[in-house]
Amino acid sequence: MTRVTEKISFQDQLITRFEERLPFLFGDPEARKAAALLFSEKGFPTRRTEDYKYIAPDILFKKEYGFRADPVRILTEADVKKLSMGLNAYVLVILNGAFIPELSSISEIPPGIIVHNLADAVHSDETAKAHYGRYAQPAADPFIALNTALNEGGIFIHILKDAPNDRPLHILHITDNATETFLQPRNLVVLDDNAEAVLIESFETIGPVKSFNNALTEIALAPNAILDHYRVQWEGQAGHLLSTVQANVSAGALYNTFTFTLGGVWVRNNLNVVLSGKKAETHLFGLYLLSGNQVCDNHTVVDHTVPDCMSNELYKGVMNGKSTGIFNGKIFVRPDAQKTNAFQTNRNILLSDDATINTKPQLEIYADDVKCSHGTSTGRIDEEALFYLRTRGIAETHARKLLIRAFAEEVVDQVEIDLLKEYIETRIDDILQ
């Protein structure tokens, strides 16, 4: 008689992994247990899950992933310098989901900027204790629940009021795993009253082995703080990335965010911004250039909870080959949020008959004294403009590249760091070859 062994699903393996690792994980064990329970009940999102219906993440987890992986190579300072885009920044390296201080610019960071391993900070730093897990709620999304249950740390950044803002902080996420791995890095960024900072997060998969990176960053801006937050994603042909940012913007604070998706097999960006104090302001810019069978889903939520706040959002996409782009932008204006100004625009160009875009801008307004608008457009390259360039002696291939670059520049021009802007433009040119 042959005994049939039932295959354990990857979802069940994650729960088993959680139970095994719980005694060694930092933070409140009861909060982790609650998050694990939420994930076990919900599971991975499917096409029946409204917020994920165009990409069905559960399909990606039909096969198993490991939970830890050694890097393929031993990274050096020269490797980090090469991957850090040539920027004059304080580089903080996360390798295969873990913070690596010895490859980071810890010794260069000036007084007023506090950087620690998140796991250590949650035990010893009062600011980290006060903010960790306060903004990203496990009930809101299964991937937040999974990260809350399983993450083993990341980076804690605390910007004090008088901290210098002469160089950006650059969190460099590097994936170089030797086996297929599911990563759960988590970061916490806190700015005090009137503090200012520039934060860059870049994601790059340099190994050939498939990975899934479930990265979560919580951001808390105290009154009148200012943060420019850039995310640059160049994940290669093996990288799968789900990047969640949960930001809380207090009275008079300003949060500017820029998301550039320039590579990766499958990328989902969850960007959630809560305007929690009067005269809080946020500007969201995004650009995604897709080709082949790439998938990119930008899911944004801006929640106006109080009066006299402003949000502005502009996302642009270019799809070629059999790629799929998704934009789902939501703006909530709560009943008390009078005098709100909220604007949202999504524009797309399809370069192929096989490319797809699903776009869904949304407004939910529960106040009556507001100025709000949203809109979307999808089309092809302007044939009249193309004809004009060709009559000026420009070859058709080059003319198309010029028009695509011009389309993208409205977002790229928002970048205020010259070297970062040059890097993004170079990557765009590489894609358009």
Side-chain angles (χ1 to χ4, degrees):
M1 180 177 179
T2 302
R3 177 176 295 177
V4 178
T5 302
E6 184 178 353
K7 184 176 176 62
I8 301 175
S9 70
F10 185 61
Q11 178 178 326
D12 290 338
Q13 290 183 48
L14 286 168
I15 299 303
T16 301
R17 167 70 175 177
F18 166 74
E19 293 169 349
E20 293 172 347
R21 291 295 301 161
L22 182 59
F24 309 100
L25 298 174
F26 71 94
D28 181 0
E30 295 305 316
R32 286 187 180 266
K33 289 178 183 178
L37 179 60
L38 279 169
F39 175 74
S40 67
E41 292 173 347
K42 291 185 176 182
F44 290 108
T46 69
R47 289 198 180 277
R48 294 183 180 180
T49 308
E50 180 63 25
D51 287 345
Y52 287 88
K53 66 180 181 181
Y54 295 115
I55 54 172
D58 62 313
I59 296 174
L60 299 175
F61 298 100
K62 296 299 183 184
K63 67 181 300 181
E64 300 173 4
Y65 290 82
F67 301 106
R68 283 176 177 266
D70 293 326
V72 175
R73 70 213 77 191
I74 298 175
L75 292 183
T76 65
E77 291 183 6
D79 294 322
V80 171
K81 185 176 181 179
K82 182 178 179 181
L83 293 169
S84 59
M85 302 183 287
L87 302 177
N88 181 26
Y90 303 113
V91 180
L92 306 171
V93 176
I94 292 181
L95 175 61
N96 291 348
F99 178 39
I100 312 295
E102 55 267 29
L103 289 175
S104 303
S105 307
I106 298 296
S107 62
E108 301 176 19
I109 295 175
I113 301 176
I114 298 169
V115 175
H116 289 305
N117 185 308
L118 180 62
D120 296 335
V122 169
H123 282 300
S124 60
D125 188 289
E126 293 303 319
T127 299
K129 290 179 185 179
H131 290 279
Y132 175 75
R134 180 177 171 184
Y135 309 104
Q137 297 301 315
D141 187 282
F143 285 100
I144 293 178
L146 195 54
N147 185 286
T148 301
L150 278 173
N151 87 83
E152 299 189 25
I155 299 173
F156 168 62
I157 299 172
H158 183 191
I159 309 294
L160 304 183
K161 177 180 179 180
D162 298 322
N165 187 25
D166 57 329
R167 291 163 64 182
L169 290 153
H170 180 188
I171 300 177
L172 174 56
H173 296 260
I174 304 171
T175 304
D176 185 32
N177 48 300
T179 57
E180 296 182 346
T181 309
F182 192 26
L183 307 172
Q184 310 281 336
R186 183 160 180 148
N187 304 312
L188 172 61
V189 180
V190 179
L191 272 68
D192 283 354
D193 293 9
N194 298 291
E196 297 185 20
V198 176
L199 174 67
I200 301 167
E201 282 191 274
S202 64
F203 299 81
E204 189 150 356
T205 297
I206 60 176
V209 180
K210 181 179 177 182
S211 62
F212 193 101
N213 194 345
N214 178 29
L216 172 59
T217 298
E218 290 184 293
I219 295 174
L221 303 188
N224 303 308
I226 299 174
L227 178 64
D228 290 344
H229 183 196
Y230 297 91
R231 288 188 293 170
V232 182
Q233 298 156 348
W234 184 259
E235 285 284 21
Q237 296 304 309
H240 298 68
L241 171 66
L242 191 143
S243 171
T244 298
V245 174
Q246 185 74 48
N248 185 78
V249 186
S250 299
L254 171 61
Y255 177 53
N256 298 314
T257 175
F258 313 80
T259 305
F260 296 92
T261 304
L262 307 175
V265 179
W266 186 99
V267 177
R268 162 81 175 211
N269 292 309
N270 291 328
L271 175 56
N272 309 309
V273 183
V274 177
L275 302 176
S276 61
K278 287 186 177 181
K279 298 190 182 301
E281 186 173 337
T282 184
H283 298 266
L284 290 68
F285 299 97
L287 177 67
Y288 42 104
L289 270 66
L290 312 178
S291 59
N293 293 305
Q294 288 178 284
V295 175
C296 177
D297 182 357
N298 284 294
H299 192 97
T300 68
V301 177
V302 179
D303 195 350
H304 290 256
T305 66
V306 296
D308 297 315
C309 293
M310 177 180 179
S311 66
N312 183 52
E313 183 171 3
L314 173 63
Y315 271 66
K316 285 190 164 187
V318 179
M319 274 64 63
N320 203 356
K322 296 182 179 180
S323 63
T324 300
I326 301 105
F327 174 81
N328 189 345
K330 296 181 181 178
I331 297 175
F332 293 99
V333 182
R334 304 300 178 180
D336 293 335
Q338 305 293 347
K339 306 293 184 182
T340 286
N341 290 321
F343 309 101
Q344 181 188 87
T345 303
N346 176 231
R347 300 192 183 107
N348 301 280
I349 290 179
L350 298 179
L351 300 179
S352 163
D353 291 338
D354 295 321
T356 302
I357 180 68
N358 297 285
T359 180
K360 188 180 179 183
Q362 296 174 264
L363 284 172
E364 290 192 25
I365 301 173
Y366 302 100
D368 51 19
D369 186 6
V370 301
K371 293 180 181 179
C372 299
S373 68
H374 69 292
T376 181
S377 63
T378 299
R380 297 186 179 278
I381 286 181
D382 187 331
E383 292 298 329
E384 289 188 8
L386 182 62
F387 176 77
Y388 175 83
L389 290 175
R390 294 191 66 191
T391 62
R392 295 302 184 269
I394 300 175
E396 181 176 353
T397 301
H398 187 54
R400 288 182 178 274
K401 291 179 183 178
L402 287 175
L403 291 174
I404 294 169
R405 276 289 301 270
F407 175 79
E409 282 300 311
E410 188 176 2
V411 174
V412 178
D413 280 348
Q414 304 299 324
V415 178
E416 295 187 353
I417 303 171
D418 290 340
L419 289 174
L420 179 59
K421 183 175 180 179
E422 290 174 13
Y423 174 86
I424 292 168
E425 290 175 336
T426 300
R427 289 296 200 186
I428 292 172
D429 288 340
D430 291 343
I431 293 168
L432 297 178
Q433 291 297 327

